[in-house]
Amino acid sequence: MGSCEQFKGTGHANDQTMDEARTINPRAQWNQMGYEGKTAAVHEEMKRMNSLPATSSYVTHRRRVLNKILQLLSIQRTASQEEELELLFAGLSL
């Protein structure tokens, strides 16, 4: 049995597959991005939403969240607004 197989499926909360271990925390990824990177990521997601049916409640909600992110990016933010921005981005997993 390989080293990965012996730990697989033990039922512990810290069990992870190799892919899960490699993924970056969305909040950490957001913090590493500059203003241009954040804005570009949001605009790219907006383009993706524009290719989906406009009547979809998923698309409507996602656009609303993306617009809120763009609004928060464009202003001088308070600490609570900064936290809200991080949470919105983490929820979208861009």
Side-chain angles (χ1 to χ4, degrees):
M1 175 172 2
S3 61
C4 289
E5 291 173 325
Q6 65 183 335
F7 295 109
K8 201 179 253 185
T10 60
H12 293 0
N14 61 357
D15 284 350
Q16 291 182 333
T17 65
M18 294 295 277
D19 289 339
E20 289 172 336
R22 287 187 203 131
T23 59
I24 297 173
N25 179 351
R27 189 177 249 185
Q29 183 181 10
W30 178 258
N31 289 335
Q32 292 174 356
M33 296 172 90
Y35 173 79
E36 292 81 18
K38 292 174 184 178
T39 305
V42 172
H43 283 293
E44 191 63 36
E45 184 67 6
M46 200 65 103
K47 283 182 191 175
R48 194 175 78 81
M49 289 299 108
N50 288 336
S51 69
L52 298 174
T55 57
S56 164
S57 58
Y58 167 78
V59 171
T60 303
H61 172 73
R62 192 116 170 147
R63 279 189 189 151
R64 193 173 306 137
V65 172
L66 291 166
N67 282 323
K68 180 67 175 183
I69 290 173
L70 288 173
Q71 176 197 8
L72 289 171
L73 281 172
S74 69
I75 62 171
Q76 185 71 26
R77 295 176 296 281
T78 63
S80 63
Q81 288 172 324
E82 189 68 39
E83 178 71 17
E84 180 182 9
L85 182 59
E86 286 181 23
L87 291 172
L88 287 171
F89 181 78
L92 289 179
S93 300
L94 295 178

